[in-house]
Each structure stands twice: as C-alpha cells, then as structure tokens.
Amino acid sequence: MKAQDPAGGPPRPGTSTPRRGRRGGTTGSREDILEAARMLFAEHGFEGTSLRQVARAAGVDPGMIHHFFTGKDELFALSVELPADPEQVLAGVADTDPATRAELIVRTVLRLWESPAQAGLLAFLRGTIGSKAKTALLREIVARRVISRIMASVPGTPEEVALRGSLVATQVVGLMMVRYVVRLEPLASAAPEDVVRLTAPNVQRYLTGPLGQEPI
Amino acid sequence: MKAQDPAGGPPRPGTSTPRRGRRGGTTGSREDILEAARMLFAEHGFEGTSLRQVARAAGVDPGMIHHFFTGKDELFALSVELPADPEQVLAGVADTDPATRAELIVRTVLRLWESPAQAGLLAFLRGTIGSKAKTALLREIVARRVISRIMASVPGTPEEVALRGSLVATQVVGLMMVRYVVRLEPLASAAPEDVVRLTAPNVQRYLTGPLGQEPI
DNA sequence: CAGCTAATTCATCACCTGATGAATTACAAG
DNA sequence: CTTGTAATTCATCAGGTGATGAATTAGCTG
C-alpha cells in the first residue's frame, strides 16, 4: 500500500501542483486503488466507503477510479473477490477420510485467514453481512461451493449430511467471527496449532460423530 | 407498521392533501418511526439506511425524525438498543451447575432470537459488523457482560476460563450467524428442540469438557 | 517525426444525505 | 375563550455522493 507518499511526493495535491497528463514510469495506480479499496471496504463496508475516500487513500484522482473501473460495484467486486476461490482452497479436503477430516478443515480455514487474503475476506464479510440482499449471495456460496466440498463422501442420508454440513458451518463461521472479525481474546491471539486442537474435535463431531447424545 | 400506502400515490397533492399541523387522536408517530427504523437498520445496516427511507416507511414527514430525535445516531441507538439487556436475559444462567449449563445457554439464545427482539438484534449485528470501529463495542459487550455471566463459577484458572469463554462464544455466535443472519438450511428451519440437542454438547465441551483431546 | 492509446487531472452534473427553521394545526390547561 | 405546547409539514441549506466528459500529458508504434 503506497498510500500517501510522505517523502518526495510529486502527486501531492496540496503543494506542488500535480499537473495533468500521464505520469512517467510505471505507476501502479490501478493496483493502488484496488489495495486501498480492499482496506477501506474491510474497515467500513460497502456503503460506508466512498470512492473519494478510496481515491485519497490511493493517492489518486477520483476520476481514475472510473477510468479503470465501470463504477463502485465493479471496484468492490474486483477488490474484494475471494483471492482464492473455494474450489481451489478446499482442493484436497474432499479426498481425505471423513473420520479425520475436521483437523484439515480447521487448518485450511486458519491458513486462509492468516494469509494476505484476510483483508479481502473481511471486506467481503463486512460488505455482505451489512445488507440482507447480499447475504443471499453469501448463503449461496457457502451452501453450493463450500459445504458440498467439505461434506463429500460423508456417510448418511442426504438430509442428515445437509444437517451435518450446516452444523459444521456453525462452528467454522463462529470461529471466523470470533477470531477475525470481533477479535475476542484470548482466542484472537491464540496460536493456530492450539486453535486446531481446541476446535477440531467439535467440528469432527458434527461431521461424523453421534448427534443425538452427549459426546463425552 | 403502517408503511408505504401502496394504492394511492402518497405525495399526490391532488387527493388527500396531508395538510400541516397536528393530527387528531393519538398518532403514534414516534413509535412508527422507531419500528420502521428497526426494520430498515436490520435489513441494510446503519449507513445503508437513510432517514428519508425511514420516514417513508413510517408514513411520516422526514422532519419528524429530527423533531423526536436529535439525529440519526440517536435514532439508531434507541431503535436498535437491545430489547433486553444481557444481565436480564442471562439471569439464572450463572446460578446453574456448570456441568449441565450448556443446554440452558443454547435455549436462552434461541428463545431470545425467536422473540420479537430478533429485528433489533439483526439491526444491531448488521450495523455493528459493517464497521470496524463499532465491532469494538460489540466485543466489549460480549466480553464484559455476556461471557462473564456465562462462565460464572466454571472451575479452572482465570486464563483457562477466559479461553473456554471465547470458545463458547465461537459456537454460540456461529449458531446465531448461520441460523438467523445467513439463514443456512436446514439449520435455519430446524426445531429449537433439535438445535439444542445438536449443539449443546459441543458448547458443554467448551464449558467444562476436556480440551486437549478427542471428546469421543 | 507523426499518430494512437492509455493515464491523469479538472470541472461539473444531478442527486441524495442529514439537518435547520419557520409556518401551520391540534390538543390541553388556565 | 385564550394561551401555550406539542405534532406536523414545507422549503431550504451546505455538503457529500457516484458519475460523465473534456482537456492534457506520456508512452508506444510505425
């Protein structure tokens, strides 16, 4: 994020008049805009972020945004689109033994959220949960692309597997919310290894464990 | 909610001119505004809801909002404030035996969310998660007022109890998100009894069960 | 060099936002 | 009836919003 360019800033709009026209060299303005948008959407959601804020954070004229993107919607979609799509992230999960799959699931979720994709994921969640209309999109993604992979070859009737899938979602979504969105301590700063050890058993119970009785 | 008056055009000055001045009888405009605000904040979050939308949905002139409330912030705070504060909702939870408390916790959460408070809770979540600044408020509420009650008299070192508390939050928050916000099926329409039976064991494990090993 | 294309700034538009203040009307108390 | 107070509408403000189009400049291709 090469935002405000403190030192020798030629594009300082306050001081040395930033004359018009193309700049020399490779000015990655498009990427700067995307990066600034990702940060701001992650902090304030879709409606809480204005294009002028994005332009300012990117050190760029507001008009540039409309030069590179058709509008705010496209900017949001491109800046926030999942850096790795579910199919790719979950590759391999479907191949493991369901009886020991929970650990891999939690590990995959943690690896994804500890990666640079975190800002985009936060932005996606913030922009998506803030509006009822957009939660439908989130629901479709989770239902059709994530859960189907996670529940592959889990034994049981289709109804039972679907129920187990939404229960798994319960634990995984809760982990993401508490650790990365609300950042509740001490879980927010716990070591990933510990998080796996602590939560995977419950995920495993939802996956293949007994549902109608006490597990202990 | 006497909303948008679908048949005849609302702003038709030809027909039923809404002349100025006070209306006859008891017109609960203040309550109408609060109710409409609750609905809209729940659907579109804080920034995604304009005062003019609220006024239209309440069948009221936009100026009324500023007559009854000092501004958008106060309207949000009053319309969305938790209908029952955590102390009251969780009364009794702290008195039960920790070894069997999970069922009561899940039951309490479900009862709260199935009640009329749901709209307010949704609004609170939507308005709160959409902004990084406001999630701090949510974090404080959860940490100081909710978890402390839930974890009362749970045995263990303070560090361990705090960790168990955030793990409980994991499962409870995930349940709320999946069932009431994202509305993922089949969990979204499952009977409360079934939800209790399915999720309480995992909550109980976080509360008092073994953490470092497989629970089954 | 000329000519094209892309990057950048600027001025501006139409609209929506939250907010204010005055004018009008009803109800209640004296 | 008079007076005051609260409820309601209206007109309007200053500012922010997303978006458009023209003007300017740089780099690339021939």
Side-chain angles (χ1 to χ4, degrees):
Chain A
M1 180 169 168
K2 53 184 80 168
Q4 56 272 36
D5 186 14
R12 270 302 301 277
T15 54
S16 61
T17 344
R19 67 215 189 286
R20 283 191 184 178
R22 188 169 189 160
R23 296 288 163 274
T26 48
T27 61
S29 295
R30 207 188 113 104
E31 281 64 32
D32 291 350
I33 293 174
L34 283 173
E35 203 165 348
R38 210 168 289 132
M39 296 287 187
L40 289 172
F41 283 139
E43 287 205 13
H44 309 111
F46 181 80
E47 340 249 5
T49 302
S50 77
L51 293 187
R52 286 168 166 85
Q53 284 178 46
V54 173
R56 208 178 318 127
V60 142
D61 186 275
M64 298 235 56
I65 297 183
H66 286 90
H67 180 253
F68 287 117
F69 312 96
T70 65
K72 192 180 183 181
D73 286 328
E74 181 177 299
L75 175 64
F76 181 77
L78 290 182
S79 71
V80 118
E81 82 179 336
L82 306 185
D85 66 333
E87 276 76 5
Q88 192 176 347
V89 172
L90 294 173
V93 170
D95 301 330
T96 61
D97 181 8
T100 58
R101 189 179 292 170
E103 187 178 321
L104 180 58
I105 292 175
V106 177
R107 245 185 245 288
T108 303
V109 169
L110 290 180
R111 183 153 26 89
L112 179 63
W113 275 86
E114 308 284 346
S115 79
Q118 189 182 75
L121 291 170
L122 265 175
F124 184 77
L125 274 190
R126 289 229 157 86
T128 234
I129 293 182
S131 134
K132 181 180 184 179
K134 288 182 185 154
T135 51
L137 169 65
L138 180 60
R139 178 170 51 239
E140 287 310 301
I141 291 179
V142 172
R144 304 208 120 60
R145 309 184 64 184
V146 177
I147 294 197
S148 65
R149 302 260 156 182
I150 285 181
M151 301 306 290
S153 75
V154 168
T157 67
E159 293 79 18
E160 184 191 333
V161 173
L163 177 60
R164 284 180 182 273
S166 54
L167 287 170
V168 171
T170 271
Q171 177 60 82
V172 173
V173 167
L175 174 60
M176 295 181 339
M177 293 295 298
V178 170
R179 183 175 163 97
Y180 298 106
V181 180
V182 182
R183 294 192 138 84
L184 190 67
E185 295 297 351
L187 194 69
S189 4
E193 261 325 297
D194 292 333
V195 177
V196 171
R197 180 174 49 85
L198 292 166
T199 62
N202 279 11
V203 175
Q204 189 65 54
R205 170 170 172 266
Y206 285 149
L207 262 180
T208 57
L211 287 185
Q213 52 197 358
E214 303 288 331
I216 303 179
Chain B
M1 181 170 170
K2 51 185 77 170
Q4 58 275 32
D5 182 17
R12 271 300 303 277
T15 55
S16 65
T17 337
R19 67 215 189 288
R20 281 194 187 177
R22 189 170 188 161
R23 296 288 163 275
T26 48
T27 62
S29 295
R30 207 188 114 102
E31 281 64 33
D32 291 350
I33 292 174
L34 283 172
E35 200 166 350
R38 209 169 288 132
M39 297 287 186
L40 288 171
F41 283 138
E43 287 205 12
H44 309 110
F46 181 80
E47 339 250 5
T49 302
S50 77
L51 294 187
R52 286 167 167 83
Q53 284 176 47
V54 173
R56 210 178 316 127
V60 143
D61 186 274
M64 297 234 56
I65 297 184
H66 284 91
H67 180 253
F68 287 117
F69 312 96
T70 66
K72 192 181 184 181
D73 286 328
E74 180 178 299
L75 175 63
F76 182 78
L78 290 182
S79 71
V80 119
E81 81 180 337
L82 305 186
D85 67 331
E87 277 75 6
Q88 191 176 348
V89 172
L90 295 173
V93 170
D95 301 328
T96 62
D97 180 9
T100 57
R101 188 180 293 172
E103 186 177 323
L104 181 56
I105 293 175
V106 177
R107 266 213 173 79
T108 303
V109 169
L110 289 180
R111 183 154 27 87
L112 179 63
W113 275 87
E114 309 283 347
S115 78
Q118 189 182 76
L121 291 169
L122 265 174
F124 183 76
L125 274 190
R126 289 229 157 88
T128 235
I129 292 181
S131 136
K132 181 180 184 180
K134 288 184 187 155
T135 51
L137 170 65
L138 180 60
R139 177 171 50 241
E140 286 312 299
I141 292 179
V142 172
R144 304 208 119 59
R145 310 183 62 185
V146 178
I147 293 197
S148 66
R149 303 260 156 181
I150 285 182
M151 303 305 289
S153 75
V154 168
T157 68
E159 294 78 17
E160 183 191 334
V161 172
L163 178 60
R164 285 181 183 272
S166 55
L167 288 170
V168 170
T170 272
Q171 176 61 80
V172 173
V173 167
L175 174 60
M176 295 179 343
M177 293 294 299
V178 170
R179 181 173 163 102
Y180 300 107
V181 180
V182 184
R183 296 193 136 82
L184 190 66
E185 295 296 352
L187 194 68
S189 6
E193 260 327 295
D194 292 334
V195 177
V196 171
R197 180 173 49 84
L198 292 166
T199 61
N202 279 12
V203 175
Q204 189 63 56
R205 171 172 171 266
Y206 285 149
L207 261 181
T208 57
L211 286 184
Q213 52 197 356
E214 302 288 330
I216 303 181

